[in-house]
PDB file of all heavy atoms in Angstrom:
ATOM      1  N   LEU A 364      34.207  63.017 -38.128  1.00  0.00           N
ATOM      2  CA  LEU A 364      33.823  61.614 -37.959  1.00  0.00           C
ATOM      3  C   LEU A 364      35.050  60.710 -37.947  1.00  0.00           C
ATOM      4  O   LEU A 364      35.112  59.734 -37.190  1.00  0.00           O
ATOM      5  CB  LEU A 364      32.877  61.197 -39.090  1.00  0.00           C
ATOM      6  CG  LEU A 364      31.542  61.951 -39.157  1.00  0.00           C
ATOM      7  CD1 LEU A 364      30.756  61.507 -40.387  1.00  0.00           C
ATOM      8  CD2 LEU A 364      30.731  61.713 -37.889  1.00  0.00           C
ATOM      9  N   LEU A 365      36.048  61.049 -38.769  1.00  0.00           N
ATOM     10  CA  LEU A 365      37.301  60.289 -38.750  1.00  0.00           C
ATOM     11  C   LEU A 365      37.992  60.446 -37.397  1.00  0.00           C
ATOM     12  O   LEU A 365      38.528  59.475 -36.845  1.00  0.00           O
ATOM     13  CB  LEU A 365      38.216  60.779 -39.866  1.00  0.00           C
ATOM     14  CG  LEU A 365      39.631  60.176 -39.902  1.00  0.00           C
ATOM     15  CD1 LEU A 365      39.556  58.670 -40.109  1.00  0.00           C
ATOM     16  CD2 LEU A 365      40.462  60.834 -41.000  1.00  0.00           C
ATOM     17  N   GLY A 366      37.950  61.675 -36.861  1.00  0.00           N
ATOM     18  CA  GLY A 366      38.537  61.895 -35.553  1.00  0.00           C
ATOM     19  C   GLY A 366      37.878  61.058 -34.473  1.00  0.00           C
ATOM     20  O   GLY A 366      38.559  60.476 -33.624  1.00  0.00           O
ATOM     21  N   MET A 367      36.548  60.975 -34.499  1.00  0.00           N
ATOM     22  CA  MET A 367      35.840  60.168 -33.512  1.00  0.00           C
ATOM     23  C   MET A 367      36.150  58.689 -33.690  1.00  0.00           C
ATOM     24  O   MET A 367      36.238  57.945 -32.702  1.00  0.00           O
ATOM     25  CB  MET A 367      34.335  60.412 -33.640  1.00  0.00           C
ATOM     26  CG  MET A 367      33.890  61.810 -33.230  1.00  0.00           C
ATOM     27  SD  MET A 367      34.345  62.228 -31.529  1.00  0.00           S
ATOM     28  CE  MET A 367      33.423  60.996 -30.619  1.00  0.00           C
ATOM     29  N   ALA A 368      36.347  58.258 -34.936  1.00  0.00           N
ATOM     30  CA  ALA A 368      36.675  56.853 -35.173  1.00  0.00           C
ATOM     31  C   ALA A 368      38.083  56.521 -34.660  1.00  0.00           C
ATOM     32  O   ALA A 368      38.329  55.407 -34.185  1.00  0.00           O
ATOM     33  CB  ALA A 368      36.571  56.546 -36.662  1.00  0.00           C
ATOM     34  N   LEU A 369      38.995  57.497 -34.741  1.00  0.00           N
ATOM     35  CA  LEU A 369      40.362  57.275 -34.281  1.00  0.00           C
ATOM     36  C   LEU A 369      40.512  57.438 -32.769  1.00  0.00           C
ATOM     37  O   LEU A 369      41.497  56.972 -32.186  1.00  0.00           O
ATOM     38  CB  LEU A 369      41.314  58.265 -34.962  1.00  0.00           C
ATOM     39  CG  LEU A 369      41.543  58.084 -36.465  1.00  0.00           C
ATOM     40  CD1 LEU A 369      42.401  59.229 -36.997  1.00  0.00           C
ATOM     41  CD2 LEU A 369      42.209  56.748 -36.762  1.00  0.00           C
ATOM     42  N   ALA A 370      39.543  58.086 -32.147  1.00  0.00           N
ATOM     43  CA  ALA A 370      39.653  58.388 -30.719  1.00  0.00           C
ATOM     44  C   ALA A 370      39.683  57.103 -29.895  1.00  0.00           C
ATOM     45  O   ALA A 370      38.925  56.163 -30.164  1.00  0.00           O
ATOM     46  CB  ALA A 370      38.490  59.263 -30.272  1.00  0.00           C
ATOM     47  N   PRO A 371      40.544  57.036 -28.884  1.00  0.00           N
ATOM     48  CA  PRO A 371      40.590  55.856 -28.007  1.00  0.00           C
ATOM     49  C   PRO A 371      39.323  55.749 -27.184  1.00  0.00           C
ATOM     50  O   PRO A 371      38.660  56.747 -26.906  1.00  0.00           O
ATOM     51  CB  PRO A 371      41.821  56.118 -27.121  1.00  0.00           C
ATOM     52  CG  PRO A 371      41.992  57.599 -27.142  1.00  0.00           C
ATOM     53  CD  PRO A 371      41.547  58.051 -28.495  1.00  0.00           C
ATOM     54  N   ARG A 372      38.980  54.555 -26.790  1.00  0.00           N
ATOM     55  CA  ARG A 372      37.769  54.315 -26.019  1.00  0.00           C
ATOM     56  C   ARG A 372      38.127  53.935 -24.595  1.00  0.00           C
ATOM     57  O   ARG A 372      39.069  53.196 -24.345  1.00  0.00           O
ATOM     58  CB  ARG A 372      36.931  53.192 -26.647  1.00  0.00           C
ATOM     59  CG  ARG A 372      36.462  53.512 -28.052  1.00  0.00           C
ATOM     60  CD  ARG A 372      35.414  54.621 -28.053  1.00  0.00           C
ATOM     61  NE  ARG A 372      34.881  54.835 -29.387  1.00  0.00           N
ATOM     62  CZ  ARG A 372      35.345  55.715 -30.248  1.00  0.00           C
ATOM     63  NH1 ARG A 372      36.397  56.446 -29.927  1.00  0.00           N
ATOM     64  NH2 ARG A 372      34.795  55.857 -31.439  1.00  0.00           N
ATOM     65  N   ARG A 373      37.364  54.434 -23.645  1.00  0.00           N
ATOM     66  CA  ARG A 373      37.535  54.066 -22.240  1.00  0.00           C
ATOM     67  C   ARG A 373      36.144  53.904 -21.644  1.00  0.00           C
ATOM     68  O   ARG A 373      35.291  54.784 -21.815  1.00  0.00           O
ATOM     69  CB  ARG A 373      38.331  55.126 -21.487  1.00  0.00           C
ATOM     70  CG  ARG A 373      38.409  54.867 -19.993  1.00  0.00           C
ATOM     71  CD  ARG A 373      39.304  55.862 -19.273  1.00  0.00           C
ATOM     72  NE  ARG A 373      40.716  55.654 -19.589  1.00  0.00           N
ATOM     73  CZ  ARG A 373      41.692  56.298 -18.978  1.00  0.00           C
ATOM     74  NH1 ARG A 373      41.409  57.185 -18.041  1.00  0.00           N
ATOM     75  NH2 ARG A 373      42.936  56.062 -19.309  1.00  0.00           N
ATOM     76  N   PRO A 374      35.856  52.806 -20.951  1.00  0.00           N
ATOM     77  CA  PRO A 374      34.510  52.582 -20.409  1.00  0.00           C
ATOM     78  C   PRO A 374      34.012  53.725 -19.520  1.00  0.00           C
ATOM     79  O   PRO A 374      32.879  54.143 -19.627  1.00  0.00           O
ATOM     80  CB  PRO A 374      34.660  51.283 -19.609  1.00  0.00           C
ATOM     81  CG  PRO A 374      35.831  50.595 -20.227  1.00  0.00           C
ATOM     82  CD  PRO A 374      36.752  51.671 -20.670  1.00  0.00           C
ATOM     83  N   THR A 375      34.858  54.243 -18.624  1.00  0.00           N
ATOM     84  CA  THR A 375      34.446  55.308 -17.724  1.00  0.00           C
ATOM     85  C   THR A 375      35.067  56.612 -18.192  1.00  0.00           C
ATOM     86  O   THR A 375      36.289  56.768 -18.154  1.00  0.00           O
ATOM     87  CB  THR A 375      34.921  55.039 -16.266  1.00  0.00           C
ATOM     88  OG1 THR A 375      34.402  53.789 -15.860  1.00  0.00           O
ATOM     89  CG2 THR A 375      34.441  56.147 -15.342  1.00  0.00           C
TER      90      THR A 375
END
Side-chain angles (χ1 to χ4, degrees):
L364 298 176
L365 174 62
M367 292 302 298
L369 291 175
R372 299 291 185 267
R373 174 175 289 188
T375 303

